[in-house]
Amino acid sequence: MFSALARPAGAVLRRSFSTSTQNNAKVALLGASGGIGQPLALLLKNSPLVSRLTLYDIAHTPGVAADLSHIETRATVKGYLGPEQLPDCLKGCNVVVIPGGVPRKPGMTQDDLFNTNASIVATLSAACAQHCPEAMICVISNPGLDPARVNVPVIGGHAGKTIIPLISQCTRKVDLPQDQLTAITGRIQEAGTEVVKAKAGAGSATLSMAYARARFVFSLVDAMNGKEGVVECSFVKSQEADCAYFSTPLMLGKKGIEKNLGIGKISSFEEKMIAEAIPELKASIKKGVEFVKNMK
């Protein structure tokens, strides 16, 4: 699940791409040396939508950039290392992608990582506000038939029971008995944990998450270029549920979020899941708000 499509505080969604700048996205990837960052950088370098790719991390980015520079695609790529080089990495960017922070290890919950990763995201977001205030910022976290032709909206939040797959809105339509519906819902909610366990301490769901982040970035750039009908789920400030923030399908456009498409018609099973998720989601939101208020 994509946790945020946001602007720095005080920034206004005014930027749009002219015809002359179409397919010339200048993308910064912050956290480019990690298990998600490196394959995500590869996917971004491979896209004809990207003309400039700047990579930032606290280690190894010059090497990652040098490696990617040998790929014969149009995007120029450069690595930036450490906080002192972050401003140069961000200047002139249209899109900034923040893949998260340190990975989860066996036995850890998403909540265990909150303070560490929230601090990383907060610091990077503040730098974006200062050095590329007009950029779109993607702050990203994890949430049968031909998979390429299946779409299931995943609404709610980021962890456990706050991850709510709307199987009733699946395209193509599926009709599952309750036991199978319960089982597949639980597997979707625990998808990240499943991979963490399978890797036995050697990593988390880095490859699949890198692909998901790349897809979101390409969708955003397509929408900024004027493509119509681009829809992705994202965790944003919302009035769609009894929470200040909630993930729902969003129509993307030249100015970012064009329209919140809302929850839509759902089943009684999904209504129950939302009701059960709200208290946990509210607590997570309160924790995030308090974290920001207490930042120095």
Side-chain angles (χ1 to χ4, degrees), residues 258-280:
E258 198 108 313
K259 183 180 181 182
N260 191 326
L261 300 180
I263 296 172
K265 185 179 179 180
I266 59 175
S267 67
S268 57
F269 176 70
E270 292 159 351
E271 287 178 350
K272 184 180 178 182
M273 283 198 295
I274 292 175
E276 291 175 348
I278 292 298
E280 185 173 325

Side-chain angles (χ1 to χ4, degrees), residues 136-256:
M136 301 288 183
I137 302 175
C138 305
V139 181
I140 308 173
S141 62
N142 48 324
L145 305 172
D146 177 1
R149 297 181 180 275
V150 175
N151 181 55
V152 179
V154 180
I155 67 170
H158 168 59
K161 66 183 180 182
T162 69
I163 300 171
I164 304 167
L166 300 182
I167 307 295
S168 68
Q169 295 182 15
C170 178
T171 53
R172 298 164 24 189
K173 187 171 178 60
V174 296
D175 188 13
L176 300 175
Q178 187 59 46
D179 60 335
Q180 291 185 28
L181 180 61
T182 301
I184 196 170
T185 297
R187 190 176 179 202
I188 292 170
Q189 291 175 330
E190 296 299 323
T193 301
E194 179 181 281
V195 178
V196 169
K197 289 180 179 178
K199 289 191 174 182
S204 59
T206 52
L207 299 175
S208 55
M209 289 194 290
Y211 171 81
R213 287 143 173 71
R215 178 184 126 170
F216 189 87
V217 172
F218 300 152
S219 292
L220 177 59
V221 174
D222 276 339
M224 292 168 70
N225 283 343
K227 183 177 179 180
E228 297 182 353
V230 179
V231 177
E232 293 286 358
C233 290
S234 184
F235 185 71
V236 296
K237 193 171 180 65
S238 174
Q239 296 180 335
E240 296 301 322
D242 186 25
C243 283
Y245 296 85
F246 202 80
S247 176
T248 48
L250 305 175
M251 182 75 73
L252 302 179
K254 290 184 177 182
K255 299 180 180 180

Side-chain angles (χ1 to χ4, degrees), residues 20-135:
S20 62
T21 58
Q22 285 184 0
N23 299 333
N24 283 298
K26 297 176 178 63
V27 180
L29 175 58
L30 312 184
S33 297
I36 295 170
Q38 290 198 43
L40 178 53
L42 173 63
L43 292 165
L44 295 173
K45 176 69 169 78
N46 200 46
S47 172
L49 294 169
V50 179
S51 64
R52 190 187 79 184
L53 179 62
T54 55
L55 309 177
Y56 171 80
D57 215 319
I58 58 173
H60 309 307
T61 36
V64 176
D67 195 354
L68 293 176
S69 70
H70 292 281
I71 297 172
E72 73 280 16
T73 54
R74 64 191 296 260
T76 60
V77 59
K78 185 174 180 180
Y80 295 85
L81 196 63
E84 66 281 355
Q85 294 186 6
L86 180 57
D88 288 335
C89 177
L90 294 172
K91 286 175 183 175
C93 288
N94 308 121
V95 178
V96 179
V97 186
I98 306 175
V102 299
R104 190 157 55 110
K105 292 181 171 58
M108 296 177 69
T109 66
Q110 295 288 356
D111 198 55
D112 293 332
L113 295 176
F114 176 81
N115 285 331
T116 298
N117 287 346
S119 296
I120 292 170
V121 172
T123 299
L124 295 176
S125 297
C128 292
Q130 183 175 358
H131 301 292
C132 56
E134 293 295 313

